[in-house]
Amino acid sequence: MPSPVSILPVPLLTIGLLVASNVFMTFAWYGHLKFKAAPLLTVILISWGIAFFEYTLQVPANRWGHGTFTAAQLKTIQEVISLSVFAVFSWAYLGERITWQHGAGFALIAAGAWFIFHDWG
């Protein structure tokens, strides 16, 4: 069986796996907020089970992506994806509003990402 790295371009593979892993992690960390009546131990165990799938995607994403991206770039990509996934999740799943303050904060984070990826020579 061929390696995924030999089939897909590394940036596409890395970002795709990071998006998928962040969907799992967002549900693991925040999905239980709709079920506040559930016992805490139950939601911890369910969240831990969901997080397992996040790790099975995140670890290969970082392993395969490192070399094409630096560790700092991988972390930056992960954080931008994490915030993007969370914004959609909080709006679509939790029914929370996204305000201009969120947009401004995300824009500042995007500016920080630009500095990480900009080649200053």
Side-chain angles (χ1 to χ4, degrees):
M1 177 178 207
S3 164
V5 177
S6 65
I7 297 170
L8 294 172
V10 172
L12 180 64
L13 178 65
T14 301
I15 291 169
L17 287 171
L18 289 175
V19 168
S21 74
N22 273 280
V23 169
F24 278 106
M25 194 49 116
T26 299
F27 273 97
W29 284 12
Y30 301 101
H32 63 88
L33 296 178
K34 286 184 86 170
F35 305 99
K36 292 186 179 178
L40 185 58
L41 181 58
T42 300
V43 298
I44 288 171
L45 292 174
I46 291 169
S47 293
W48 187 64
I50 295 169
F52 168 79
F53 295 101
E54 184 269 343
Y55 282 97
T56 64
L57 298 168
Q58 179 95 8
V59 171
N62 288 326
R63 174 156 304 195
W64 290 327
H66 191 251
T68 299
F69 301 108
T70 66
Q73 288 172 330
L74 284 168
K75 183 61 179 169
T76 302
I77 293 167
Q78 189 276 324
E79 292 299 335
V80 169
I81 290 170
S82 179
L83 286 172
S84 301
V85 167
F86 181 78
V88 172
F89 173 87
S90 65
W91 168 75
Y93 184 77
L94 296 176
E96 297 182 356
R97 291 179 342 132
I98 298 176
T99 65
W100 72 267
Q101 295 99 318
H102 297 112
F106 291 163
L108 290 171
I109 291 167
W114 180 82
F115 278 96
I116 297 292
F117 281 89
H118 186 74
D119 184 8
W120 296 94

